[in-house]
Amino acid sequence: MKRLIASMMGALGLLAFALPAVAQAPKPHVQASLVADAEGISPGGTIHVALRQVIETGWHTYWRNSGDSGQATEIEWSLPQGFTAGDIVWATPGQHMTGPLMNYGYQDEVLLPIPLTAPKTAKVGEAVTLKAKVYLLVCADVCVPEDADVSLTLPVTAKPAGADLQWGAAIAKALADAPKPAGLSAVFAPAKSGLSLAITGEALKGADLAGAYFYPYSPTVLDHAKPQAIERGPDGLTLTLAPPAAGYAEGKPPTELAGVLALKGKAYEITASAGAAPAGASGLGAPAAPAAAGKASGGLGLVAAIAFAFVGGLILNLMPCVFPVLAMKAASLAGHAHEHAAARRQGLAFLAGVLATFLGLAGLLIAVRAGGAAVGWGFQLQAPPVVAVLALLMLAVALNLSGLFEIGASLQGVGQDFASKGGLAGAFFTGALAVVVAAPCTAPFMAPALGWALTQDPASALAVFAGLGLGFAAPFTLAAFAPALLASLPKPGAWMETFRRAMSFPMYGAAGWLAWVLTVQAGSDALARLLALAVLLALGAWLAG
């Protein structure tokens, strides 16, 4: 019988990790497609094919420099032999504030044209199919990586084909509106508050410069969230750019500033070198900085960020995704009510589990982001295998609380030997599990603190996450050290078994919620596999019990 149970549980683990990874959500937030500006392509000819993104309301994708966080859209081509595709012609982005972070990207709909050239050997009369894989990150309050397979079939024509009736004019406008050089002169020099960027040229004389904004191509040359103060001049303008929060690379200002100067309805590519600002770039006063940037400029500072994180951690205990695990621990606390020394040990073990898991996840998040990946807090629940395993774990805990099987105090700290090693391990495990399922939730005060933390050095970031963990663990840990509160609970008895079984229902609810998350991520096939695994798990638990 033991071999049978072991074999079944081993197969359960293998099947759980065999759940398919996210390829494309059943209901993506971005509808991606390819459209062309011409009805065909001639041998040796060049047309523009645009990547069209139709973005769900409230969500956005990213420009070539995503800003403080995010990831630029990427496209991998699978073209017929001899066909070549150029670089994306990026549209002028917009500014998207997420807490204290400034991101650059697009919302609603955007066309990103790409030049496509046919070989001179292309056969007239044949149809060619252009295929590509699109990788993008789409964000609102959370970020979701999506990818899409797109394709477009065009005929090879003897002569250059006419403009496509549906998309020709739209792509032509996208190309005309895209930032391009305009003979502007740009220089920068160190200033008290960062860098002073002076831009002059015929295109700027008499132009409306209110709200002018510089989008750098490099993400590390300025603090994106700080306002860019504007001073107008007869021949152009001067922008004051704050230095990046983490400091310049190698402690020195850049040797070149390249990017896009965006005005109302116009945008220009510029490349600035170090030098003295010309007289015509300033002297006519400074328009107000953009409201969004000004509002976002208030930095928290380390002490304030830790305080915000602590308060956010306290409130996080009230979030629906955390309640089931805390309910499970409440059963344990009730059992320890009249064993004060054991209750205190349980409280400290729970605190240790919370802090260790918060800092572990935070360290992994910081390392992954430092490697260039665009992930946010709660990233572990973006992976379907992790979600599936957590759902099965929640189900196993619920079955245990329901009395289907008994595995002692090692899982939940519920048992007779309150001071046993198993009970402390259960408290530590409960703290760790609470953090894992709490990560997708965002309580008030959390967003500014976490957003600030992820723009700082690792030590400051970990200090903020430690503050969050302390706030999260504080209610349960302090309750374990409150004799008056514990004394008010009934003495252990038959009621504990009833209370324990009642606490199984929040765990069933948590398992159901995670199953829904998996369905959104990986589709109905993944849900079917998960339900099959759930039945197998319940059978194995019953046999074990």
Side-chain angles (χ1 to χ4, degrees):
M1 179 61 73
K2 289 184 178 180
R3 289 184 178 180
L4 174 62
I5 295 173
S7 299
M8 292 178 65
M9 301 310 287
L12 177 64
L14 291 174
L15 284 172
F17 282 98
L19 283 167
V22 172
Q24 181 177 2
K27 296 180 180 179
H29 300 289
V30 179
Q31 299 289 340
S33 59
L34 291 179
V35 294
D37 65 353
E39 293 181 335
I41 187 169
S42 59
T46 297
I47 63 172
H48 281 90
V49 174
L51 173 62
R52 181 183 181 228
Q53 297 180 15
V54 180
I55 307 164
E56 183 178 331
T57 301
W59 294 74
H60 61 268
T61 59
Y62 291 94
W63 186 52
R64 55 181 291 178
N65 168 20
S66 59
D68 285 322
S69 63
Q71 183 174 342
T73 296
E74 298 179 3
I75 183 166
E76 290 183 1
W77 290 98
S78 297
L79 299 174
Q81 186 174 2
F83 281 76
T84 58
D87 296 330
I88 293 174
V89 179
W90 294 93
T92 305
Q95 301 167 41
H96 302 278
M97 292 303 303
T98 304
L101 305 180
M102 171 68 80
N103 297 325
Y104 304 140
Y106 310 105
Q107 59 187 10
D108 299 329
E109 181 176 348
V110 65
L111 289 174
L112 301 178
I114 301 155
L116 184 90
T117 302
K120 294 182 179 179
T121 56
K123 295 182 179 180
V124 175
E126 289 189 351
V128 293
T129 299
L130 316 173
K131 297 180 180 180
K133 187 85 168 182
V134 178
Y135 301 92
L136 51 85
L137 187 72
V138 56
C139 298
D141 295 329
V142 296
C143 291
V144 179
E146 295 185 355
D147 57 70
D149 294 304
V150 294
S151 64
L152 178 66
T153 300
L154 293 172
V156 178
T157 58
K159 297 180 180 180
D164 183 88
L165 295 178
Q166 183 176 4
W167 296 108
I171 295 176
K173 185 177 186 305
L175 289 168
D177 292 343
K180 53 184 62 69
L184 298 178
S185 175
V187 296
F188 68 91
K192 286 185 177 180
S193 53
L195 294 178
S196 177
L197 175 61
I199 310 167
T200 56
E202 289 295 324
L204 301 183
K205 291 182 178 180
D208 184 357
L209 303 180
Y213 195 90
F214 175 65
Y215 295 94
Y217 289 149
S218 170
T220 61
V221 295
L222 57 84
D223 187 334
H224 304 287
K226 292 293 178 65
Q228 298 181 6
I230 307 167
E231 186 175 358
R232 294 178 292 131
D235 299 324
L237 77 164
T238 298
L239 296 173
T240 301
L241 309 176
Y248 294 116
E250 301 179 356
K252 298 179 180 179
T255 57
E256 181 180 273
L257 277 180
V260 170
L261 175 66
L263 308 178
K264 289 185 178 179
K266 297 180 180 180
Y268 306 102
E269 284 187 322
I270 63 169
T271 300
S273 56
S282 61
L284 297 183
K295 182 178 180 181
S297 63
L300 281 178
L302 179 59
V303 174
I306 293 175
F308 271 61
F310 183 85
V311 176
L314 286 173
I315 300 174
L316 188 60
N317 286 278
L318 304 177
M319 296 295 104
C321 59
V322 185
F323 175 74
V325 179
L326 298 184
M328 179 179 75
K329 199 57 196 167
S332 173
L333 181 62
H336 294 79
H338 299 277
E339 296 284 343
H340 295 165
R344 287 192 292 270
R345 289 194 292 269
Q346 289 276 316
L348 292 175
F350 179 80
L351 173 63
V354 168
L355 285 178
T357 309
F358 257 117
L359 294 177
L361 286 175
L364 180 59
L365 171 62
I366 293 168
V368 171
R369 289 175 66 93
V375 295
W377 187 242
F379 64 97
Q380 71 277 5
L381 287 188
Q382 293 179 4
V386 175
V387 174
V389 171
L390 279 175
L392 295 172
L393 179 59
M394 294 291 185
L395 176 62
V397 172
L399 294 174
N400 176 253
L401 290 171
S402 296
L404 183 68
F405 70 105
E406 299 290 341
I407 58 175
S410 59
L411 181 62
Q412 301 142 269
V414 179
Q416 299 301 317
D417 188 5
F418 296 119
S420 70
K421 179 180 178 181
L424 296 180
F428 184 94
F429 164 79
T430 306
L433 183 61
V435 173
V436 172
V437 298
C441 291
T442 300
F445 299 99
M446 272 183 61
L450 296 186
W452 183 89
L454 293 176
T455 64
Q456 307 304 306
D457 60 274
S460 298
L462 289 175
V464 172
F465 281 102
L468 180 60
L470 288 172
F472 182 62
F476 179 83
T477 303
L478 292 177
F481 279 80
L485 174 63
L486 296 178
S488 66
L489 296 175
K491 291 186 178 181
W495 70 271
M496 287 179 56
E497 186 64 19
T498 301
F499 181 64
R500 175 189 171 188
R501 298 197 178 200
M503 290 299 99
S504 69
F505 290 98
M507 301 305 297
Y508 285 122
W513 171 70
L514 288 166
W516 171 80
V517 171
L518 181 69
T519 306
V520 173
Q521 289 180 330
S524 57
D525 288 347
L527 176 62
R529 297 185 187 189
L530 179 67
L531 294 177
L533 294 176
V535 173
L536 181 60
L537 173 66
L539 175 60
W542 176 69
L543 292 174

